[in-house]
């Protein structure tokens, strides 16, 4: 995804996917940075919102997790993971 962004800097899907990759590697700060950039251009991205929500949960940031949970609920995200988390 970094190679994609070198070719085209304004690629929200690549930013979001790169953020998800960094999240999976445990680099939450870099993940949030990429996810926020991707979501700035594509605010209704469910994968991006889900990843940010999970980062907030992992960091025990309850207020941020609730805020993001509301965005997901408003976007009609009804995945079992959302209800569980």
């Amino acid at each position: 995804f970094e190679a994609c962004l070198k070719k085209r800097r304004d690629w929200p899907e690549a930013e979001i996917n790169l953020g998800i990759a960094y999240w999976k590697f445990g680099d939450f700060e870099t993940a949030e940075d990429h996810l926020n950039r991707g979501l700035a251009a594509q605010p209704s991205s469910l994968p991006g919102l889900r990843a940010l929500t999970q980062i907030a949960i992992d960091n025990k940031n309850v207020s941020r997790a609730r805020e993001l949970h509301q965005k997901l609920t408003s976007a009609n995200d009804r995945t079992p993971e959302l209800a569980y988390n």
Side-chain angles (χ1 to χ4, degrees):
F1 299 113
E2 289 174 339
C4 293
L5 290 169
K6 284 181 184 175
K7 289 184 179 210
R8 192 175 117 201
R9 190 71 202 137
D10 63 334
W11 198 342
E13 296 87 353
E15 287 282 6
I16 290 168
N17 283 317
L18 185 57
I20 291 169
Y22 274 110
W23 164 54
K24 299 244 181 197
F25 283 118
D27 185 346
F28 298 150
E29 186 176 328
T30 304
E32 281 185 282
D33 184 44
H34 286 287
L35 288 165
N36 285 323
R37 277 191 262 168
L39 286 166
Q42 208 172 57
S44 62
S45 168
L46 293 179
L49 288 169
R50 284 185 202 121
L52 273 181
T53 304
Q54 190 59 53
I55 290 169
I57 290 167
D58 292 345
N59 287 327
K60 297 176 181 29
N61 187 341
V62 176
S63 61
R64 178 73 171 143
R66 283 188 183 140
E67 172 192 327
L68 291 162
H69 181 272
Q70 183 59 42
K71 286 183 181 184
L72 286 165
T73 303
S74 296
N76 256 351
D77 186 12
R78 303 283 185 228
T79 59
E81 295 85 6
L82 180 63
Y84 173 77
N85 287 328

